[in-house]
Amino acid sequence: MAIQDIYPTALRLLGRPVLVVGGGPVATRRAKGLLDAGALVTVVAPVASPALQDMAGAGLLTWAARPYESTDVDGAWFVQTATGDPAVDAQVSADAEAQRVWCVNASDHEASAAWTPAVAVVDDVKIAVNAGGDPRRAMAVRDAVATALETGDLPLRRRRAHRGSVALVGGGPGDTGLITVRGRRLLGQADVVVADRLGPRELLNELAPDVRVIEVGKTPGHHPVPQADINRILVEEALKGHRVVRLKGGDPYVLGRGGEEAEHCRRHGVEVEVVSGVTSAISVPAAAGIPVTHRGLAKGFSVVTGHEELSEVPARADHTIVLLMGVGQLRESASALGEAGLPAGTPVGIVENGYLPDQRVTIGTLGSIADQAEAAGVANPAVIVIGDVVRVSPFAPSHFKTADYSTTSPNQPRKTVFTT
């Protein structure tokens, strides 16, 4: 049978009787698949696998514990033979052919009237692959296609009317490879993307031409689209039947207003999903080789957005402080920590544009960092790390390090500029 002779189709077997002849591993797999399709399964085999016996005992299928008889085909809509005996399988196939019942002959794919494809399900898309009767080849192709769908490399977007929804997707610090697989998949299904200024912007170029992108990006002190309007846009677009993705930098629930957006959607009856992202508070320091915790240096860390909260965090070099959106208030923050008792010699690292080609690292001390940042023209987006963990960075000056501090190169191939 040539592949050109195959007419691909899908069977709806819900509530319809089917016959499986055989009781081994192949018959077991096929019986499970037929049960998943809602078929009324009868298994004919003198001996059945423990799994088949369990299914029969639970009333999920009927097991006739005897050899096959030609009358077993009577009334069946579909037949699967998998006895392992070519002669028996051929007889079952011939009996099915005589009654014009489609039959899959596991012993001889060339003589089989039907083939069972390798199947995978991604969301509500079912993938079925035939590969010239080569099951391992079919499974390899199936897995590759399923992976491409799951990662967003192939489109899953619906083209017919569907119920609207909102997904709050954390895009990570900006590198397109740091968005989660789930986030990438939802982005590929979106009808509307409500996008921040930060995050994996390059992924927007991969969207289909008819996907609308609504820009709502904010900069420090400048919010052209207020949060109330963003909330309203999400609900309005979803109620129109659109799949909406709110693409954010970092994580939606880490200083990202995601909680407010989710609450607003739920109050208006809109289904909402939250997809966590790689927060910049941890990932951006890592891009410069700075861990927020490190054995012997720091056991905990705090994430804050301004100097007002600094009075509430431990002012110790062994407790890491991560400042987000803190460049504009860096001098006030350093002063506040100094007044709280943090030594002026405490290491401080600033990482601008983490993971992007123009990433830059400025390293100094609590007493010097404000002047250094001003002289270097440090600007947001930037993450500021305060504490002894900065000593671990491969870009820290040698006098910051001692024999007790081991350093490793970060997994960061992009250009990094070190300033002291």
Side-chain angles (χ1 to χ4, degrees), residues 91-114:
Q91 182 61 54
V92 176
S93 181
D95 292 339
E97 184 75 15
Q99 296 201 35
R100 298 185 178 181
V101 176
W102 291 109
C103 176
V104 175
N105 184 344
S107 294
D108 187 354
H109 74 273
E110 289 290 341
S112 183

PDB file of all heavy atoms in Angstrom, residues 91-114:
ATOM      1  N   GLN A  91      -6.900 -13.570   9.260  1.00  0.00           N
ATOM      2  CA  GLN A  91      -8.277 -14.055   9.237  1.00  0.00           C
ATOM      3  C   GLN A  91      -9.249 -12.984   9.732  1.00  0.00           C
ATOM      4  O   GLN A  91     -10.310 -12.764   9.141  1.00  0.00           O
ATOM      5  CB  GLN A  91      -8.402 -15.305  10.117  1.00  0.00           C
ATOM      6  CG  GLN A  91      -9.803 -15.919  10.125  1.00  0.00           C
ATOM      7  CD  GLN A  91     -10.228 -16.375   8.736  1.00  0.00           C
ATOM      8  OE1 GLN A  91      -9.515 -17.143   8.073  1.00  0.00           O
ATOM      9  NE2 GLN A  91     -11.385 -15.910   8.269  1.00  0.00           N
ATOM     10  N   VAL A  92      -8.862 -12.297  10.818  1.00  0.00           N
ATOM     11  CA  VAL A  92      -9.703 -11.214  11.329  1.00  0.00           C
ATOM     12  C   VAL A  92      -9.863 -10.136  10.274  1.00  0.00           C
ATOM     13  O   VAL A  92     -10.974  -9.636  10.020  1.00  0.00           O
ATOM     14  CB  VAL A  92      -9.098 -10.610  12.615  1.00  0.00           C
ATOM     15  CG1 VAL A  92      -9.935  -9.418  13.095  1.00  0.00           C
ATOM     16  CG2 VAL A  92      -9.002 -11.663  13.718  1.00  0.00           C
ATOM     17  N   SER A  93      -8.763  -9.771   9.626  1.00  0.00           N
ATOM     18  CA  SER A  93      -8.803  -8.735   8.601  1.00  0.00           C
ATOM     19  C   SER A  93      -9.702  -9.152   7.441  1.00  0.00           C
ATOM     20  O   SER A  93     -10.483  -8.347   6.911  1.00  0.00           O
ATOM     21  CB  SER A  93      -7.382  -8.460   8.105  1.00  0.00           C
ATOM     22  OG  SER A  93      -7.383  -7.451   7.117  1.00  0.00           O
ATOM     23  N   ALA A  94      -9.632 -10.438   7.031  1.00  0.00           N
ATOM     24  CA  ALA A  94     -10.466 -10.922   5.920  1.00  0.00           C
ATOM     25  C   ALA A  94     -11.942 -10.920   6.303  1.00  0.00           C
ATOM     26  O   ALA A  94     -12.809 -10.558   5.492  1.00  0.00           O
ATOM     27  CB  ALA A  94     -10.015 -12.325   5.521  1.00  0.00           C
ATOM     28  N   ASP A  95     -12.230 -11.316   7.547  1.00  0.00           N
ATOM     29  CA  ASP A  95     -13.624 -11.318   7.996  1.00  0.00           C
ATOM     30  C   ASP A  95     -14.181  -9.901   8.030  1.00  0.00           C
ATOM     31  O   ASP A  95     -15.338  -9.672   7.657  1.00  0.00           O
ATOM     32  CB  ASP A  95     -13.730 -11.942   9.388  1.00  0.00           C
ATOM     33  CG  ASP A  95     -13.422 -13.438   9.369  1.00  0.00           C
ATOM     34  OD1 ASP A  95     -13.518 -14.057   8.291  1.00  0.00           O
ATOM     35  OD2 ASP A  95     -13.081 -13.978  10.451  1.00  0.00           O
ATOM     36  N   ALA A  96     -13.369  -8.949   8.480  1.00  0.00           N
ATOM     37  CA  ALA A  96     -13.814  -7.562   8.516  1.00  0.00           C
ATOM     38  C   ALA A  96     -14.031  -7.027   7.108  1.00  0.00           C
ATOM     39  O   ALA A  96     -15.014  -6.325   6.831  1.00  0.00           O
ATOM     40  CB  ALA A  96     -12.794  -6.706   9.265  1.00  0.00           C
ATOM     41  N   GLU A  97     -13.120  -7.374   6.189  1.00  0.00           N
ATOM     42  CA  GLU A  97     -13.251  -6.932   4.809  1.00  0.00           C
ATOM     43  C   GLU A  97     -14.538  -7.463   4.192  1.00  0.00           C
ATOM     44  O   GLU A  97     -15.240  -6.745   3.451  1.00  0.00           O
ATOM     45  CB  GLU A  97     -12.033  -7.415   3.998  1.00  0.00           C
ATOM     46  CG  GLU A  97     -11.991  -6.949   2.567  1.00  0.00           C
ATOM     47  CD  GLU A  97     -11.596  -5.495   2.432  1.00  0.00           C
ATOM     48  OE1 GLU A  97     -11.072  -4.913   3.416  1.00  0.00           O
ATOM     49  OE2 GLU A  97     -11.821  -4.926   1.341  1.00  0.00           O
ATOM     50  N   ALA A  98     -14.865  -8.708   4.514  1.00  0.00           N
ATOM     51  CA  ALA A  98     -16.077  -9.311   3.954  1.00  0.00           C
ATOM     52  C   ALA A  98     -17.331  -8.583   4.427  1.00  0.00           C
ATOM     53  O   ALA A  98     -18.344  -8.539   3.709  1.00  0.00           O
ATOM     54  CB  ALA A  98     -16.144 -10.786   4.339  1.00  0.00           C
ATOM     55  N   GLN A  99     -17.288  -8.028   5.619  1.00  0.00           N
ATOM     56  CA  GLN A  99     -18.447  -7.307   6.154  1.00  0.00           C
ATOM     57  C   GLN A  99     -18.331  -5.798   5.959  1.00  0.00           C
ATOM     58  O   GLN A  99     -19.138  -5.038   6.491  1.00  0.00           O
ATOM     59  CB  GLN A  99     -18.618  -7.630   7.652  1.00  0.00           C
ATOM     60  CG  GLN A  99     -18.925  -9.082   7.931  1.00  0.00           C
ATOM     61  CD  GLN A  99     -19.587  -9.261   9.294  1.00  0.00           C
ATOM     62  OE1 GLN A  99     -20.364  -8.415   9.727  1.00  0.00           O
ATOM     63  NE2 GLN A  99     -19.273 -10.376   9.942  1.00  0.00           N
ATOM     64  N   ARG A 100     -17.316  -5.374   5.187  1.00  0.00           N
ATOM     65  CA  ARG A 100     -17.090  -3.950   4.923  1.00  0.00           C
ATOM     66  C   ARG A 100     -16.922  -3.159   6.221  1.00  0.00           C
ATOM     67  O   ARG A 100     -17.480  -2.079   6.389  1.00  0.00           O
ATOM     68  CB  ARG A 100     -18.222  -3.365   4.080  1.00  0.00           C
ATOM     69  CG  ARG A 100     -18.341  -4.002   2.714  1.00  0.00           C
ATOM     70  CD  ARG A 100     -19.381  -3.323   1.870  1.00  0.00           C
ATOM     71  NE  ARG A 100     -19.446  -3.937   0.537  1.00  0.00           N
ATOM     72  CZ  ARG A 100     -20.268  -3.526  -0.431  1.00  0.00           C
ATOM     73  NH1 ARG A 100     -21.082  -2.506  -0.207  1.00  0.00           N
ATOM     74  NH2 ARG A 100     -20.267  -4.121  -1.603  1.00  0.00           N
ATOM     75  N   VAL A 101     -16.111  -3.704   7.119  1.00  0.00           N
ATOM     76  CA  VAL A 101     -15.776  -3.043   8.378  1.00  0.00           C
ATOM     77  C   VAL A 101     -14.290  -2.692   8.324  1.00  0.00           C
ATOM     78  O   VAL A 101     -13.448  -3.544   7.997  1.00  0.00           O
ATOM     79  CB  VAL A 101     -16.058  -3.965   9.583  1.00  0.00           C
ATOM     80  CG1 VAL A 101     -15.605  -3.299  10.876  1.00  0.00           C
ATOM     81  CG2 VAL A 101     -17.541  -4.322   9.648  1.00  0.00           C
ATOM     82  N   TRP A 102     -13.971  -1.454   8.635  1.00  0.00           N
ATOM     83  CA  TRP A 102     -12.579  -1.035   8.611  1.00  0.00           C
ATOM     84  C   TRP A 102     -11.791  -1.781   9.688  1.00  0.00           C
ATOM     85  O   TRP A 102     -12.233  -1.893  10.834  1.00  0.00           O
ATOM     86  CB  TRP A 102     -12.444   0.474   8.833  1.00  0.00           C
ATOM     87  CG  TRP A 102     -12.968   1.278   7.680  1.00  0.00           C
ATOM     88  CD1 TRP A 102     -14.082   2.036   7.639  1.00  0.00           C
ATOM     89  CD2 TRP A 102     -12.368   1.387   6.394  1.00  0.00           C
ATOM     90  NE1 TRP A 102     -14.247   2.614   6.401  1.00  0.00           N
ATOM     91  CE2 TRP A 102     -13.197   2.230   5.613  1.00  0.00           C
ATOM     92  CE3 TRP A 102     -11.228   0.852   5.800  1.00  0.00           C
ATOM     93  CZ2 TRP A 102     -12.920   2.542   4.288  1.00  0.00           C
ATOM     94  CZ3 TRP A 102     -10.944   1.173   4.475  1.00  0.00           C
ATOM     95  CH2 TRP A 102     -11.784   2.016   3.742  1.00  0.00           C
ATOM     96  N   CYS A 103     -10.627  -2.288   9.299  1.00  0.00           N
ATOM     97  CA  CYS A 103      -9.810  -3.086  10.214  1.00  0.00           C
ATOM     98  C   CYS A 103      -8.341  -2.668  10.111  1.00  0.00           C
ATOM     99  O   CYS A 103      -7.800  -2.509   9.010  1.00  0.00           O
ATOM    100  CB  CYS A 103      -9.947  -4.568   9.882  1.00  0.00           C
ATOM    101  SG  CYS A 103      -8.892  -5.655  10.871  1.00  0.00           S
ATOM    102  N   VAL A 104      -7.706  -2.527  11.272  1.00  0.00           N
ATOM    103  CA  VAL A 104      -6.267  -2.291  11.336  1.00  0.00           C
ATOM    104  C   VAL A 104      -5.600  -3.620  11.651  1.00  0.00           C
ATOM    105  O   VAL A 104      -5.859  -4.229  12.697  1.00  0.00           O
ATOM    106  CB  VAL A 104      -5.913  -1.252  12.423  1.00  0.00           C
ATOM    107  CG1 VAL A 104      -4.391  -1.118  12.543  1.00  0.00           C
ATOM    108  CG2 VAL A 104      -6.536   0.091  12.106  1.00  0.00           C
ATOM    109  N   ASN A 105      -4.741  -4.074  10.755  1.00  0.00           N
ATOM    110  CA  ASN A 105      -4.024  -5.330  10.914  1.00  0.00           C
ATOM    111  C   ASN A 105      -2.616  -5.016  11.407  1.00  0.00           C
ATOM    112  O   ASN A 105      -1.758  -4.559  10.646  1.00  0.00           O
ATOM    113  CB  ASN A 105      -3.967  -6.079   9.582  1.00  0.00           C
ATOM    114  CG  ASN A 105      -3.316  -7.442   9.707  1.00  0.00           C
ATOM    115  OD1 ASN A 105      -2.652  -7.743  10.689  1.00  0.00           O
ATOM    116  ND2 ASN A 105      -3.506  -8.279   8.687  1.00  0.00           N
ATOM    117  N   ALA A 106      -2.364  -5.263  12.697  1.00  0.00           N
ATOM    118  CA  ALA A 106      -1.080  -4.899  13.288  1.00  0.00           C
ATOM    119  C   ALA A 106       0.058  -5.767  12.773  1.00  0.00           C
ATOM    120  O   ALA A 106       1.229  -5.383  12.878  1.00  0.00           O
ATOM    121  CB  ALA A 106      -1.162  -4.990  14.819  1.00  0.00           C
ATOM    122  N   SER A 107      -0.251  -6.927  12.215  1.00  0.00           N
ATOM    123  CA  SER A 107       0.803  -7.833  11.752  1.00  0.00           C
ATOM    124  C   SER A 107       1.296  -7.506  10.352  1.00  0.00           C
ATOM    125  O   SER A 107       2.400  -7.892   9.971  1.00  0.00           O
ATOM    126  CB  SER A 107       0.296  -9.283  11.770  1.00  0.00           C
ATOM    127  OG  SER A 107       0.052  -9.731  13.072  1.00  0.00           O
ATOM    128  N   ASP A 108       0.474  -6.813   9.562  1.00  0.00           N
ATOM    129  CA  ASP A 108       0.837  -6.581   8.158  1.00  0.00           C
ATOM    130  C   ASP A 108       0.285  -5.230   7.728  1.00  0.00           C
ATOM    131  O   ASP A 108      -0.850  -5.135   7.260  1.00  0.00           O
ATOM    132  CB  ASP A 108       0.276  -7.708   7.282  1.00  0.00           C
ATOM    133  CG  ASP A 108       0.753  -7.624   5.834  1.00  0.00           C
ATOM    134  OD1 ASP A 108       1.432  -6.632   5.484  1.00  0.00           O
ATOM    135  OD2 ASP A 108       0.436  -8.546   5.054  1.00  0.00           O
ATOM    136  N   HIS A 109       1.083  -4.186   7.870  1.00  0.00           N
ATOM    137  CA  HIS A 109       0.580  -2.859   7.547  1.00  0.00           C
ATOM    138  C   HIS A 109       0.308  -2.702   6.053  1.00  0.00           C
ATOM    139  O   HIS A 109      -0.540  -1.920   5.646  1.00  0.00           O
ATOM    140  CB  HIS A 109       1.564  -1.786   8.034  1.00  0.00           C
ATOM    141  CG  HIS A 109       2.815  -1.672   7.213  1.00  0.00           C
ATOM    142  ND1 HIS A 109       3.927  -2.458   7.456  1.00  0.00           N
ATOM    143  CD2 HIS A 109       3.123  -0.883   6.149  1.00  0.00           C
ATOM    144  CE1 HIS A 109       4.865  -2.149   6.583  1.00  0.00           C
ATOM    145  NE2 HIS A 109       4.413  -1.201   5.779  1.00  0.00           N
ATOM    146  N   GLU A 110       1.026  -3.453   5.216  1.00  0.00           N
ATOM    147  CA  GLU A 110       0.802  -3.356   3.775  1.00  0.00           C
ATOM    148  C   GLU A 110      -0.582  -3.883   3.401  1.00  0.00           C
ATOM    149  O   GLU A 110      -1.229  -3.369   2.489  1.00  0.00           O
ATOM    150  CB  GLU A 110       1.885  -4.130   3.027  1.00  0.00           C
ATOM    151  CG  GLU A 110       3.262  -3.487   3.082  1.00  0.00           C
ATOM    152  CD  GLU A 110       3.328  -2.192   2.271  1.00  0.00           C
ATOM    153  OE1 GLU A 110       2.451  -1.990   1.410  1.00  0.00           O
ATOM    154  OE2 GLU A 110       4.242  -1.392   2.508  1.00  0.00           O
ATOM    155  N   ALA A 111      -1.047  -4.924   4.089  1.00  0.00           N
ATOM    156  CA  ALA A 111      -2.345  -5.517   3.772  1.00  0.00           C
ATOM    157  C   ALA A 111      -3.475  -4.903   4.585  1.00  0.00           C
ATOM    158  O   ALA A 111      -4.636  -5.235   4.357  1.00  0.00           O
ATOM    159  CB  ALA A 111      -2.298  -7.029   4.023  1.00  0.00           C
ATOM    160  N   SER A 112      -3.138  -4.036   5.496  1.00  0.00           N
ATOM    161  CA  SER A 112      -4.154  -3.466   6.390  1.00  0.00           C
ATOM    162  C   SER A 112      -5.040  -2.480   5.642  1.00  0.00           C
ATOM    163  O   SER A 112      -4.572  -1.668   4.835  1.00  0.00           O
ATOM    164  CB  SER A 112      -3.470  -2.760   7.561  1.00  0.00           C
ATOM    165  OG  SER A 112      -4.434  -2.268   8.471  1.00  0.00           O
ATOM    166  N   ALA A 113      -6.352  -2.548   5.911  1.00  0.00           N
ATOM    167  CA  ALA A 113      -7.285  -1.618   5.288  1.00  0.00           C
ATOM    168  C   ALA A 113      -7.201  -0.230   5.910  1.00  0.00           C
ATOM    169  O   ALA A 113      -7.633   0.751   5.305  1.00  0.00           O
ATOM    170  CB  ALA A 113      -8.711  -2.154   5.412  1.00  0.00           C
ATOM    171  N   ALA A 114      -6.694  -0.145   7.112  1.00  0.00           N
ATOM    172  CA  ALA A 114      -6.572   1.146   7.819  1.00  0.00           C
ATOM    173  C   ALA A 114      -5.290   1.132   8.629  1.00  0.00           C
ATOM    174  O   ALA A 114      -4.775   0.073   8.996  1.00  0.00           O
ATOM    175  CB  ALA A 114      -7.785   1.374   8.721  1.00  0.00           C
TER     176      ALA A 114
END
